[in-house]
mmCIF file with all atom_site columns, all heavy atoms in Angstrom:
data_model
loop_
_atom_site.group_PDB
_atom_site.id
_atom_site.type_symbol
_atom_site.label_atom_id
_atom_site.label_alt_id
_atom_site.label_comp_id
_atom_site.label_asym_id
_atom_site.label_entity_id
_atom_site.label_seq_id
_atom_site.pdbx_PDB_ins_code
_atom_site.Cartn_x
_atom_site.Cartn_y
_atom_site.Cartn_z
_atom_site.occupancy
_atom_site.B_iso_or_equiv
_atom_site.pdbx_formal_charge
_atom_site.auth_seq_id
_atom_site.auth_comp_id
_atom_site.auth_asym_id
_atom_site.auth_atom_id
_atom_site.pdbx_PDB_model_num
ATOM 1  N N   . GLY B 1 411 ? -16.304 0.105   -26.569 1.00 97.00 ? 1865 GLY B N   1
ATOM 2  C CA  . GLY B 1 411 ? -15.265 -0.757  -25.994 1.00 97.00 ? 1865 GLY B CA  1
ATOM 3  C C   . GLY B 1 411 ? -15.697 -1.226  -24.613 1.00 97.00 ? 1865 GLY B C   1
ATOM 4  O O   . GLY B 1 411 ? -15.087 -0.881  -23.608 1.00 97.00 ? 1865 GLY B O   1
ATOM 5  N N   . VAL B 1 412 ? -16.771 -2.004  -24.560 1.00 98.00 ? 1866 VAL B N   1
ATOM 6  C CA  . VAL B 1 412 ? -17.362 -2.381  -23.269 1.00 98.00 ? 1866 VAL B CA  1
ATOM 7  C C   . VAL B 1 412 ? -17.297 -3.895  -23.099 1.00 98.00 ? 1866 VAL B C   1
ATOM 8  O O   . VAL B 1 412 ? -18.129 -4.625  -23.629 1.00 98.00 ? 1866 VAL B O   1
ATOM 9  C CB  . VAL B 1 412 ? -18.830 -1.893  -23.170 1.00 98.00 ? 1866 VAL B CB  1
ATOM 10 C CG1 . VAL B 1 412 ? -19.384 -2.178  -21.783 1.00 98.00 ? 1866 VAL B CG1 1
ATOM 11 C CG2 . VAL B 1 412 ? -18.915 -0.396  -23.471 1.00 98.00 ? 1866 VAL B CG2 1
ATOM 12 N N   . GLY B 1 413 ? -16.307 -4.349  -22.367 1.00 98.00 ? 1867 GLY B N   1
ATOM 13 C CA  . GLY B 1 413 ? -16.162 -5.789  -22.122 1.00 98.00 ? 1867 GLY B CA  1
ATOM 14 C C   . GLY B 1 413 ? -16.698 -6.211  -20.771 1.00 98.00 ? 1867 GLY B C   1
ATOM 15 O O   . GLY B 1 413 ? -16.221 -7.173  -20.177 1.00 98.00 ? 1867 GLY B O   1
ATOM 16 N N   . PHE B 1 618 ? -13.203 -1.626  -17.233 1.00 98.00 ? 2072 PHE B N   1
ATOM 17 C CA  . PHE B 1 618 ? -14.105 -2.471  -16.456 1.00 98.00 ? 2072 PHE B CA  1
ATOM 18 C C   . PHE B 1 618 ? -13.310 -3.622  -15.850 1.00 98.00 ? 2072 PHE B C   1
ATOM 19 O O   . PHE B 1 618 ? -12.462 -4.212  -16.517 1.00 98.00 ? 2072 PHE B O   1
ATOM 20 C CB  . PHE B 1 618 ? -15.203 -3.051  -17.356 1.00 98.00 ? 2072 PHE B CB  1
ATOM 21 C CG  . PHE B 1 618 ? -15.960 -1.990  -18.103 1.00 98.00 ? 2072 PHE B CG  1
ATOM 22 C CD1 . PHE B 1 618 ? -15.590 -1.640  -19.394 1.00 98.00 ? 2072 PHE B CD1 1
ATOM 23 C CD2 . PHE B 1 618 ? -17.017 -1.326  -17.508 1.00 98.00 ? 2072 PHE B CD2 1
ATOM 24 C CE1 . PHE B 1 618 ? -16.269 -0.639  -20.083 1.00 98.00 ? 2072 PHE B CE1 1
ATOM 25 C CE2 . PHE B 1 618 ? -17.706 -0.330  -18.189 1.00 98.00 ? 2072 PHE B CE2 1
ATOM 26 C CZ  . PHE B 1 618 ? -17.334 0.017   -19.481 1.00 98.00 ? 2072 PHE B CZ  1
ATOM 27 N N   . ALA B 1 642 ? -11.268 -10.575 -13.731 1.00 98.00 ? 2096 ALA B N   1
ATOM 28 C CA  . ALA B 1 642 ? -11.383 -10.389 -15.175 1.00 98.00 ? 2096 ALA B CA  1
ATOM 29 C C   . ALA B 1 642 ? -11.421 -8.907  -15.484 1.00 98.00 ? 2096 ALA B C   1
ATOM 30 O O   . ALA B 1 642 ? -12.195 -8.167  -14.885 1.00 98.00 ? 2096 ALA B O   1
ATOM 31 C CB  . ALA B 1 642 ? -12.640 -11.074 -15.694 1.00 98.00 ? 2096 ALA B CB  1
ATOM 32 N N   . GLN B 1 643 ? -10.589 -8.488  -16.417 1.00 98.00 ? 2097 GLN B N   1
ATOM 33 C CA  . GLN B 1 643 ? -10.464 -7.064  -16.681 1.00 98.00 ? 2097 GLN B CA  1
ATOM 34 C C   . GLN B 1 643 ? -10.413 -6.810  -18.178 1.00 98.00 ? 2097 GLN B C   1
ATOM 35 O O   . GLN B 1 643 ? -9.683  -7.481  -18.898 1.00 98.00 ? 2097 GLN B O   1
ATOM 36 C CB  . GLN B 1 643 ? -9.207  -6.550  -15.988 1.00 98.00 ? 2097 GLN B CB  1
ATOM 37 C CG  . GLN B 1 643 ? -9.085  -5.043  -16.007 1.00 98.00 ? 2097 GLN B CG  1
ATOM 38 C CD  . GLN B 1 643 ? -8.007  -4.580  -15.025 1.00 98.00 ? 2097 GLN B CD  1
ATOM 39 O OE1 . GLN B 1 643 ? -7.861  -5.134  -13.939 1.00 98.00 ? 2097 GLN B OE1 1
ATOM 40 N NE2 . GLN B 1 643 ? -7.261  -3.581  -15.420 1.00 98.00 ? 2097 GLN B NE2 1
ATOM 41 N N   . ASP B 1 644 ? -11.186 -5.821  -18.580 1.00 98.00 ? 2098 ASP B N   1
ATOM 42 C CA  . ASP B 1 644 ? -11.225 -5.438  -19.990 1.00 98.00 ? 2098 ASP B CA  1
ATOM 43 C C   . ASP B 1 644 ? -10.084 -4.466  -20.254 1.00 98.00 ? 2098 ASP B C   1
ATOM 44 O O   . ASP B 1 644 ? -10.115 -3.330  -19.796 1.00 98.00 ? 2098 ASP B O   1
ATOM 45 C CB  . ASP B 1 644 ? -12.586 -4.803  -20.279 1.00 98.00 ? 2098 ASP B CB  1
ATOM 46 C CG  . ASP B 1 644 ? -12.673 -4.243  -21.686 1.00 98.00 ? 2098 ASP B CG  1
ATOM 47 O OD1 . ASP B 1 644 ? -11.764 -4.514  -22.499 1.00 98.00 ? 2098 ASP B OD1 1
ATOM 48 O OD2 . ASP B 1 644 ? -13.654 -3.536  -21.959 1.00 98.00 ? 2098 ASP B OD2 1
ATOM 49 N N   . VAL B 1 645 ? -9.088  -4.945  -20.994 1.00 98.00 ? 2099 VAL B N   1
ATOM 50 C CA  . VAL B 1 645 ? -7.894  -4.124  -21.243 1.00 98.00 ? 2099 VAL B CA  1
ATOM 51 C C   . VAL B 1 645 ? -7.849  -3.610  -22.671 1.00 98.00 ? 2099 VAL B C   1
ATOM 52 O O   . VAL B 1 645 ? -6.841  -3.068  -23.110 1.00 98.00 ? 2099 VAL B O   1
ATOM 53 C CB  . VAL B 1 645 ? -6.596  -4.919  -20.941 1.00 98.00 ? 2099 VAL B CB  1
ATOM 54 C CG1 . VAL B 1 645 ? -6.616  -5.448  -19.523 1.00 98.00 ? 2099 VAL B CG1 1
ATOM 55 C CG2 . VAL B 1 645 ? -6.381  -6.054  -21.938 1.00 98.00 ? 2099 VAL B CG2 1
ATOM 56 N N   . GLY B 1 646 ? -8.971  -3.774  -23.414 1.00 98.00 ? 2100 GLY B N   1
ATOM 57 C CA  . GLY B 1 646 ? -8.873  -3.487  -24.837 1.00 98.00 ? 2100 GLY B CA  1
ATOM 58 C C   . GLY B 1 646 ? -8.086  -4.626  -25.463 1.00 98.00 ? 2100 GLY B C   1
ATOM 59 O O   . GLY B 1 646 ? -8.526  -5.764  -25.443 1.00 98.00 ? 2100 GLY B O   1
ATOM 60 N N   . VAL B 1 705 ? -9.804  -9.682  -20.666 1.00 98.00 ? 2159 VAL B N   1
ATOM 61 C CA  . VAL B 1 705 ? -10.936 -9.509  -21.574 1.00 98.00 ? 2159 VAL B CA  1
ATOM 62 C C   . VAL B 1 705 ? -10.517 -8.453  -22.594 1.00 98.00 ? 2159 VAL B C   1
ATOM 63 O O   . VAL B 1 705 ? -9.963  -7.419  -22.226 1.00 98.00 ? 2159 VAL B O   1
ATOM 64 C CB  . VAL B 1 705 ? -12.186 -9.047  -20.795 1.00 98.00 ? 2159 VAL B CB  1
ATOM 65 C CG1 . VAL B 1 705 ? -13.327 -8.712  -21.755 1.00 98.00 ? 2159 VAL B CG1 1
ATOM 66 C CG2 . VAL B 1 705 ? -12.610 -10.126 -19.790 1.00 98.00 ? 2159 VAL B CG2 1
ATOM 67 N N   . GLU B 1 706 ? -10.749 -8.729  -23.862 1.00 98.00 ? 2160 GLU B N   1
ATOM 68 C CA  . GLU B 1 706 ? -10.309 -7.801  -24.907 1.00 98.00 ? 2160 GLU B CA  1
ATOM 69 C C   . GLU B 1 706 ? -11.505 -7.302  -25.710 1.00 98.00 ? 2160 GLU B C   1
ATOM 70 O O   . GLU B 1 706 ? -11.959 -7.961  -26.642 1.00 98.00 ? 2160 GLU B O   1
ATOM 71 C CB  . GLU B 1 706 ? -9.264  -8.471  -25.811 1.00 98.00 ? 2160 GLU B CB  1
ATOM 72 C CG  . GLU B 1 706 ? -7.974  -8.830  -25.057 1.00 98.00 ? 2160 GLU B CG  1
ATOM 73 C CD  . GLU B 1 706 ? -6.861  -9.335  -25.970 1.00 98.00 ? 2160 GLU B CD  1
ATOM 74 O OE1 . GLU B 1 706 ? -7.145  -10.192 -26.815 1.00 98.00 ? 2160 GLU B OE1 1
ATOM 75 O OE2 . GLU B 1 706 ? -5.713  -8.853  -25.822 1.00 98.00 ? 2160 GLU B OE2 1
ATOM 76 N N   . SER B 1 707 ? -12.014 -6.132  -25.338 1.00 97.00 ? 2161 SER B N   1
ATOM 77 C CA  . SER B 1 707 ? -13.071 -5.510  -26.130 1.00 97.00 ? 2161 SER B CA  1
ATOM 78 C C   . SER B 1 707 ? -12.399 -4.695  -27.236 1.00 97.00 ? 2161 SER B C   1
ATOM 79 O O   . SER B 1 707 ? -11.230 -4.328  -27.116 1.00 97.00 ? 2161 SER B O   1
ATOM 80 C CB  . SER B 1 707 ? -13.920 -4.596  -25.256 1.00 97.00 ? 2161 SER B CB  1
ATOM 81 O OG  . SER B 1 707 ? -13.150 -3.488  -24.825 1.00 97.00 ? 2161 SER B OG  1
ATOM 82 N N   . LYS B 1 717 ? -6.382  -0.391  -24.263 1.00 98.00 ? 2171 LYS B N   1
ATOM 83 C CA  . LYS B 1 717 ? -6.828  0.589   -23.275 1.00 98.00 ? 2171 LYS B CA  1
ATOM 84 C C   . LYS B 1 717 ? -5.853  0.531   -22.088 1.00 98.00 ? 2171 LYS B C   1
ATOM 85 O O   . LYS B 1 717 ? -4.824  -0.116  -22.139 1.00 98.00 ? 2171 LYS B O   1
ATOM 86 C CB  . LYS B 1 717 ? -8.242  0.244   -22.806 1.00 98.00 ? 2171 LYS B CB  1
ATOM 87 C CG  . LYS B 1 717 ? -9.246  0.163   -23.954 1.00 98.00 ? 2171 LYS B CG  1
ATOM 88 C CD  . LYS B 1 717 ? -10.690 0.199   -23.462 1.00 98.00 ? 2171 LYS B CD  1
ATOM 89 C CE  . LYS B 1 717 ? -11.087 -1.035  -22.692 1.00 98.00 ? 2171 LYS B CE  1
ATOM 90 N NZ  . LYS B 1 717 ? -12.543 -1.068  -22.400 1.00 98.00 ? 2171 LYS B NZ  1
ATOM 91 N N   . GLY B 1 718 ? -6.227  1.193   -21.005 1.00 97.00 ? 2172 GLY B N   1
ATOM 92 C CA  . GLY B 1 718 ? -5.396  1.176   -19.813 1.00 97.00 ? 2172 GLY B CA  1
ATOM 93 C C   . GLY B 1 718 ? -5.677  -0.048  -18.966 1.00 97.00 ? 2172 GLY B C   1
ATOM 94 O O   . GLY B 1 718 ? -6.719  -0.689  -19.100 1.00 97.00 ? 2172 GLY B O   1
#
Side-chain angles (χ1 to χ4, degrees):
Chain B
V1866 185
F2072 305 95
Q2097 189 166 322
D2098 174 10
V2099 304
V2159 174
E2160 296 187 313
S2161 67
K2171 303 196 292 188

